[in-house]
Amino acid sequence: MADEAQKKPHLSALVGHTNGLTKLAAAAGSSSSRGGGGGGSATAAPSKKLVIKNFRERPKLPDNYTQDTWQKLHDAVGAIQSSVSIRYNLEELYQAVENLCSYKVSATLYKQLRQVCEDHIMIRSIFLFLDRTYVLQNSMLPSIWDMGLELFRNHVISDKQVQNKTIDGILLLIERERSGEAVDRSLLRSLLSMLSDLQVYKESFEQRFLEETNCLYAAEGQRLMQEREVPEYLHHVNKRLEEEGDRVITYLDHSTQKPLIACVEKQLLGEHLTAILQKGLDNLLDENRISDLTQTYQLFSRVKGGQQILLQHWSEYIKNFGTTIVVNPEKDKDMVQELLDFKDKVDHIIEVCFQKNEKFINLMKESFETFINKRPNKPAELIAKYVDSKLRAGNKEATDEELERILDKIMIIFRFIHGKDVFEAFYKKDLAKRLLVGKSASVDAEKSMLSKLKHECGAAFTSKLEGMFKDMELSKDVMVQFKQYMQNQSDPGNIDLTVNILTMGYWPTYTPMEVHLNSEMIKLQEVFKTFYLGKHSGRKLQWQTTLGHAVLKAEFKEGKKEFQVSLFQTLVLLMFNEGDEFSFEEIKMATGIEDNELRRTLQSLACGKARVLIKNPKGKDVEDGDKFIFNGDFKHKLFRIKINQIQMKETVEEQVSTTERVFQDRQYQIDAAIVRIMKMRKTLGHNLLVSELYNQLKFPVKPGDLKKRIESLIDRDYMERDKDNPNQYHYVA
């Protein structure tokens, strides 16, 4: 029997059970002794060499092997779930799975295993009645579903190693996705949904996720601000926000949205607000990059304090850009047009990019008002001249609608000006010329502008301007009566006289200039004077020759022509009825025209486009001793030629005179305001008086100028200083 034991050694022995599972322990070459006693070793058999060769053909699985093996595996899974002893040893079961996988039954095996696990979930359905009765009545007990989750959480997810590996894997996938790699989003959604169901989402995942997000975008913001231009950077920020929003929708819990987006906004925007604007806002505005400005506004509106910083830089840009337009005298010619274009530009940006935000509109107005008044008086003067150029006959505006639209835009700029009295003075002077020389493009447009000014500044501002229009209307009626009067005269004369009667208080102040009119003109003046004073006794007429104009008929070799000329041009040209050549001094003596005015007049006749006279020697300027010859060979394509544009041009003297008159009027207004305040208060301190004056005066004034006016009134005994307190004033009745 000993020899038989050596040929067939016993390879394994049964060991006890643990947890209901049978465990096998392999015996390592020991042999049982023959018989029941003793532990002596048997004599070893002589060793033999074992050679294993491959099958020539792969063996086939026995019939029904797959079904029978799955039945064993199914029973084993059921035993594990039931916590009972497994009938088969684990090595045999493992080998069975390996055999099935080797014969490509893996897919079927996987599906069958999944079904068994899903069937396990049916436990809740089986015990549903228990869940709805006993568990529901005991508030301290979790539902069967929650109990399952709790057990899974306690025994699986709460394990630190499992949890850390799970979270690390999730964060790694998200990091890869942020880097541009494609990841399994459904896997992320399932994992995060599981954490949420197990109520460990916030403590185990969200906190770490937000910390890593914060670090990522903090570093990214610092790096990209150095590398990229502002539009590119903002585009990247917008893209990141969209990506994170999409993550929330796709797989993150909804509760993460607010802190996640806030984190991105803070690190990519909030930390770089000032740097972004300093680096790129001026360029965006200069180049009028509407889409980029819209994106800037939208992104800055998301961050706390973002709009306020954007407002500050917006205001600074307007002030700086506007100041370059206003303060440079070289730009005076185009100042108003540039202001209008700039205003159109910022209006468009506010409407399209800043969503008509009231704060941006109001700050834009304040900024315009600030920079446009950095240069006192000049913008007001130039706006008045710009209006004059648009309301003159022959302007380039095609339609009344376009002209009306331009006037509306000008009024918006006009609102920002403090020294509106300067505008009024120059506007009144130019309006007078347009009306008296017949150069107004449209009476309707003139009255429309007057209506706008009245609405903006009140009736007191436009009362004199309205009086000018009334004078023109009354003058027409007077001339109808005068023409009837002349028809009854024995010698009506060859000159058709038209006179405009102007009320002195309404019109600009003109310095009378005595010139030598010919006898026929003087006779007509006397006839009109007799006619007018006969109807209006007690009035005094003063002739203003500077604004007179006439139509002259002339004959040349080419034929007859008509000239629309000023009165001074008329007097010069009429001299050439008496001779063909006159010197500058002879013309001056004969006409009595003031030296500078005569030079301008001769320049317009001999050096302009329509050269009725020939100057000898040739040159642009008229000098003493120059001689002027009638140009009999004069040619022109038009029959009636206008040469009186010279009357519409403003001389340096006129400009200085208008400015001085405004300054003088302001002094009178300051004096009147001081007396009015002191008369009411009787006694007042210097600071309070100055404060009251600033409230009442409608034009900008310096404290030093107010002090001078106060001193002047003290000298003239309108008020006096307090003997004990030099800063206290008393009204002198």
Side-chain angles (χ1 to χ4, degrees), residues 639-656:
F639 174 70
R640 176 173 282 193
I641 303 121
K642 296 178 182 179
I643 316 178
N644 69 331
Q645 282 88 347
I646 186 172
Q647 284 181 293
M648 296 300 290
K649 290 180 181 177
E650 182 186 55
T651 62
V652 176
E653 292 80 6
E654 276 185 306
Q655 182 182 352
V656 172

Side-chain angles (χ1 to χ4, degrees), residues 608-641:
K609 292 180 180 178
R611 299 188 179 186
V612 187
L613 303 179
I614 298 171
K615 187 172 88 71
N616 187 15
K618 293 183 178 180
K620 290 185 178 180
D621 296 323
V622 176
E623 305 292 347
D624 293 345
D626 286 354
K627 294 188 179 299
F628 296 87
I629 304 162
F630 180 72
N631 183 10
D633 297 323
F634 175 81
K635 292 181 180 180
H636 202 282
K637 62 181 180 180
L638 299 177
F639 174 70
R640 176 173 282 193
I641 303 121

Side-chain angles (χ1 to χ4, degrees), residues 137-155:
Q137 292 167 4
N138 290 270
S139 58
M140 300 300 292
L141 294 176
S143 67
I144 293 173
W145 174 262
D146 291 338
M147 178 182 69
L149 292 177
E150 185 180 340
L151 291 170
F152 185 81
R153 179 171 61 244
N154 293 341
H155 295 284

Side-chain angles (χ1 to χ4, degrees), residues 404-416:
E404 188 71 16
R405 191 159 56 247
I406 287 171
L407 293 179
D408 285 335
K409 289 180 179 179
I410 290 170
M411 287 307 299
I412 293 171
I413 302 294
F414 172 74
R415 287 190 190 112
F416 301 131

Side-chain angles (χ1 to χ4, degrees), residues 332-341 378-392 395 397 402-403 405-407 409-411 413 423 426-427 430 434 449:
D332 284 357
K333 185 179 177 183
D334 301 316
M335 180 198 290
V336 179
Q337 188 58 55
E338 286 189 25
L339 286 173
L340 291 172
D341 293 342
K378 197 65 181 179
E381 174 191 332
L382 293 174
I383 289 171
K385 290 177 180 176
Y386 185 85
V387 174
D388 176 55
S389 71
K390 297 301 176 185
L391 292 178
R392 273 191 204 179
N395 72 70
E397 308 309 326
E402 286 180 16
L403 182 57
R405 191 159 56 247
I406 287 171
L407 293 179
K409 289 180 179 179
I410 290 170
M411 287 307 299
I413 302 294
F423 172 88
F426 281 94
Y427 181 80
D430 293 332
R434 291 197 301 275
M449 185 64 190

